[in-house]
Amino acid sequence: MALNGLAIYKLLPKTNCKDCGQATCLAFAMQMAAGKASLDACPHASDEAKETLGAASEPAIALVEIGTGEKVVKLGNETVLFRHDKRFVHPTAIGILVSDRLDDAAVEARVQSINGLFFDRLGETYGVDLVAVRNDSSDAARFVEVVRKVAELSPLTPALLSEDPVALRGALEVVAGRKPLVYGAHPGNYEALTALAKEFAVPLGVRVDGLDELAELAEKIAKLGHKQLLLDSGARDVKRVLADQTLIRRLAIMKRFRPFGYPTICFADNRDGAQRVLDSVVYAAKYAGVLIIDRVDPAEILPLITWRLNVYTDPQKPIAIEAKVYEVGTPGRDAPVFLTTNFSLTYYCVMGDIESARTPAYILPVDTDGTSVLTAWAAGKVTPEKIKTFLETSGIGDRVDHRRLIIPGGLAVMTAKLKEITGWDILVGPRESSVISAFLRDNWQ
Amino acid sequence: MGVELVQERWKGKLYALTIGREPYQVVAGGDSTLPFLDLDGGSYTRPVSALTVFDRRPENWPDTLTGAWGDVLDNPVQWARKCVELGADAVALKLVSAHPEQGDRSPQECAATVKAVAEAVDQPLIVLGCAVNEKDAAVLPVVSEALNGYNCLIGQATSENYKTVVAGCLAHGHSVIATSPLDINLAKQLNILMTDMNLPPDRIAMDLSIGPLGYGIEYAYSIIERKRTGALLGDRMLAMPVICLVGEEAWKVKEAQRADDLEWGADEPRGILWEAVTAVALAQAGASIFVFYHPEALRQFNTQIDALMGK
Ligand code: SF4
C-alpha cells in the first residue's frame, strides 16, 4: 500500500527527537514515503504505526539472494523505471543453460565453456553468474546426476530448472548448500515446490502465462510463507517481454502492488543465436532480474556482459578513472606520451584512438574530478602547475628517454607556460582524439 | 486477481523528419509514446537504418568490415548501390577526404562525389562532413547546393559552424544534423539557435555524440531516454529525432576490432554484435536514425526491430 508523507507523519510520535537521523518527524515521513527510509530507523514508533506502516516501509521490490559467500547474487530493491532518475541497483544475473539431455562428455564440455565466460576489463573481472540445468529429459534421476556433475565442475551457483518436485528434491539434497535458484512453480505444482523452497531456504521462480494469473499465484505462494520469489509472466518474444516487464515494474514501484514486488526472470530463447543476444540486451535494460540464455560463445557473451555492466553503472556520477600512467600496447622508452583528463569517456576515446593508430603509447589522465578537457579547463581544474605535479609524481620521466608531452588541442593556450615550468617540450595534439592517428603520422618521429 | 494497467499520459510527440524523395522517402520520429511499448497508447515509428559509404577507401578497417564490402570500397557510387541492395533505408555518405589531414578535398570535389552518389540511388541520402568545423562550414553549403531537390539530411552542424551549415540547408531544402557533446542542455540550446534561424523544427536530427558499447554508451543511453521522455512530456525543443552514428563508434573499439581470440571468441560475430548491440540498446532508449558500417549488423538490427514492432 502506498502512503503519502502526511499520512505517515500522523502515525509518528511527532517529538522531533532526531534519533532517526532526520531533523523532524515530518522529514522522516517524507523520506519513508519516497521509499528512502524504513520505519526501523525510528526507535519510538508505536505498535500501531508498525502495523499500519509495515507494508509502506517495505521496499517496493524485495531483495532476493541466490548463491552464497563470494558467489552471492543479489536482486531486487530497485526504486526507479529509468536509470537517469537513479542508479539501477542490482545487475541482471546472467545464467547459461545446460540441458540434462546432453551426455556426460557434452555436459563437461559445456560447463568448461561456461566457466571460461569471464573477461578482464580495467583490472576487474566480469562474468556470468549462474549455470542453469534444465530438466529436458523429464527423468528425475538423470537431472540429479547432471546437477551433481555441474556442481562439481563449476564454481558458479546452479539454477535448477524443473517442474518435478521429485527431481528438485533430489537436486536440492545435493546442492542446497550453494543456495541455488529453483524454477519453477506453476498452478499445478506450487504447493509442493513452495514447501521445498521453504525447507531448503532457496529462492523460487514462479511461472504462469499471463499477468493476472501470475499475480494470483505469487500471492498464494507468499501466503504459504515464502517471499524469495522471481516472477515470469511466460512471455518469450521480445515485444511481449518488454511490455510485461514494464508493467510489472510500474505496478511494483508506482503502485506498491505487493504480488509484483519481486525481481523477474527472463528467458532468451529466440531460435536465432544473434537475436537471442539482442533480445537479452533489451531484457537487461528493461528490468530482468535473472536472464537465462542458451549461448556459450564468448564472441556473443562479451557484448552482453559489457552491456549489463554499462546499464548498471551509477548514472549520477561522472566516472573518474585513477590518475596514473596507463600503457597502450607495450610502449618503449621512445613512445609518445599523451596528456588527457580523467573523465572516463575522454580517457577511453583517447585510448581507443591510440589503439587504432597502432602506436604503443603512454596516457596520463590528470585528475580533473572526472570532467572532460574543455569543462576542466573552463572550470580551472586543469592548470600548468597541476600538470607539472602530475608529471613528477606519475614517474613517467623514468619510463621514457625523451621529454616531449602531447597535450589536448583544447589546452593549446597553456603551451608556453607548461614548457617553461616543466622543462618538457610541448606538442599540441588534436582537439578530437579521432585524428590522433594522422597526428602521430605527421608529428611523431 | 485482475492486474491494473499503470499508464503514463504522454502529451508530447516527436517531430516527424522526412528525408528523400517520393516514393523512397523515409520518416524518422513522429512517435507519441515510449519505444515499442503499446501500454500507454500512442504510436512509435520504426527506426530508420542507413549504411555508411566513404568517399575513398577507408583506412585501418578490420577484416570483418573490409571483407563484408569487397571491391566496392574504392567506388562510392557502387558502394552506395550495394548499401541499397543490402536493405538500407538510406545511404550515409561520409566525406572523409575533405579532412585537412586526409586529402583536403575542395568543396567542389566533394559536391561532385555527392552528386554522383545521389544520382545513382533512389533512397534518401545522409551527408556527413569530415567533422572539422571550419572545413565543414566551407564544404557543406556547396554540397547542399549540388543536392538541391534531393531533400537530404546534412551534417554535422555544431555550435561553431551551424550558421553556415543551416543557411545552406535552408536555401536548398535539406534537413540538418545538430551535433552536440553528450549534454542534453547544449543539445537543446543548439536546437533553439537553429530554429531561431527559421529552420523548421521538423528538419533537425539530433546527434548527441554517442559512445559505443563498453565506452560510454550508458551516458548516451540515459541522455537519449531523458530526451525522449522530455519530448513526450511536452518539451518541444527536445522533440527532434535522434541520429546515432553506431558504425563509426562501435568499430573504433578493440573489442570489435581484435582478430580471433581465445578469450573473446571469433572476430566476425563479435564485431558485428558490438555494432548491433550498440544500436539495439540506443533504439530502446528512444533514438530514431541509425547509421551502420556492417551490413550484417544492420540486418540483425532490423530483425530485432521487426520483433519489437510486432511484425
Ligand atoms: S526518531 Fe521517530 S520520533 Fe524521533 S524524529 Fe525521527 S521519526 Fe520522529
Side-chain angles (χ1 to χ4, degrees), chain A residues 31-175:
Chain A
Q31 290 290 104
M32 259 185 73
K36 290 177 186 159
S38 149
L39 189 62
D40 310 341
C42 170
H44 316 293
S46 66
D47 287 344
E48 188 206 347
K50 283 181 188 153
E51 174 102 345
T52 318
L53 298 176
S57 65
E58 272 173 40
I61 301 176
L63 183 72
V64 171
E65 294 189 2
I66 310 173
T68 55
E70 260 180 35
K71 292 289 171 197
V72 68
V73 174
K74 297 185 179 194
L75 305 166
N77 270 188
E78 301 294 341
T79 59
V80 293
L81 271 305
F82 297 107
R83 75 181 281 285
H84 56 253
D85 288 331
K86 206 170 171 206
R87 179 178 192 162
F88 288 178
V89 190
H90 292 124
T92 305
I94 298 174
I96 310 286
L97 260 188
V98 178
S99 170
D100 73 350
R101 260 202 301 243
L102 298 176
D103 64 29
D104 285 358
V107 167
E108 192 168 332
R110 183 140 178 120
V111 174
Q112 296 308 348
S113 312
I114 296 171
N115 288 345
L117 294 175
F118 280 83
F119 309 97
D120 285 330
R121 194 184 155 80
L122 301 169
E124 304 255 358
T125 303
Y126 301 94
V128 299
D129 306 282
L130 307 171
V131 47
V133 184
R134 191 168 63 193
N135 189 195
D136 295 327
S137 70
S138 304
D139 173 346
R142 180 60 191 157
F143 182 66
V144 176
E145 222 173 283
V146 174
V147 167
R148 184 191 309 276
K149 196 162 182 60
V150 165
E152 273 165 20
L153 292 169
S154 180
L156 295 168
T157 302
L160 310 175
L161 313 187
S162 172
E163 295 174 355
D164 174 5
V166 178
L168 287 169
R169 170 171 289 281
L172 281 167
E173 278 165 0
V174 180
V175 295

Side-chain angles (χ1 to χ4, degrees), chain A residues 82-84 119 121 212 216 239 247 250-251 274-275 279 282 286 298-299 306 310 319 345 348 355 435, chain B residues 1 3 6 38 40 44 99 182 214-219 222 225-226 254 263-264 300 303-304 308:
Chain A
F82 297 107
R83 75 181 281 285
H84 56 253
F119 309 97
R121 194 184 155 80
D212 293 348
E216 203 173 305
K239 188 176 181 62
L247 189 55
R250 282 185 185 179
L251 278 159
Q275 291 300 313
D279 288 355
V282 176
K286 293 294 168 184
T306 308
N310 289 159
I319 307 169
L345 200 48
Y348 288 137
E355 259 177 2
V435 295
Chain B
M1 184 183 312
V3 167
V6 190
D38 296 318
D40 301 330
Y44 42 88
H99 195 289
L182 206 59
Y215 298 86
I217 192 177
E218 67 273 30
Y219 295 90
S222 280
E225 202 168 49
R226 240 177 96 192
K254 60 173 183 280
E263 191 193 343
W264 286 1
Q300 292 290 0
T303 305
Q304 173 68 203
L308 285 165

Side-chain angles (χ1 to χ4, degrees), chain A residues 259-272:
Chain A
F260 285 170
Y262 308 97
T264 58
I265 177 167
C266 294
F267 290 79
D269 53 8
N270 200 305
R271 264 178 299 143
D272 178 287

Side-chain angles (χ1 to χ4, degrees), chain B residues 134-185:
Chain B
E134 308 81 59
K135 188 63 190 281
D136 281 351
V139 167
L140 296 179
V142 180
V143 163
S144 292
E145 188 178 354
L147 293 173
N148 196 335
Y150 281 94
N151 190 23
C152 301
L153 176 60
I154 295 178
Q156 299 150 296
T158 68
S159 61
E160 302 290 314
N161 68 7
Y162 74 93
K163 282 188 181 148
T164 41
V165 179
V166 169
C169 288
L170 267 176
H172 302 286
H174 306 298
S175 297
V176 183
I177 300 170
T179 298
S180 52
L182 206 59
D183 179 316
I184 198 165
N185 297 315

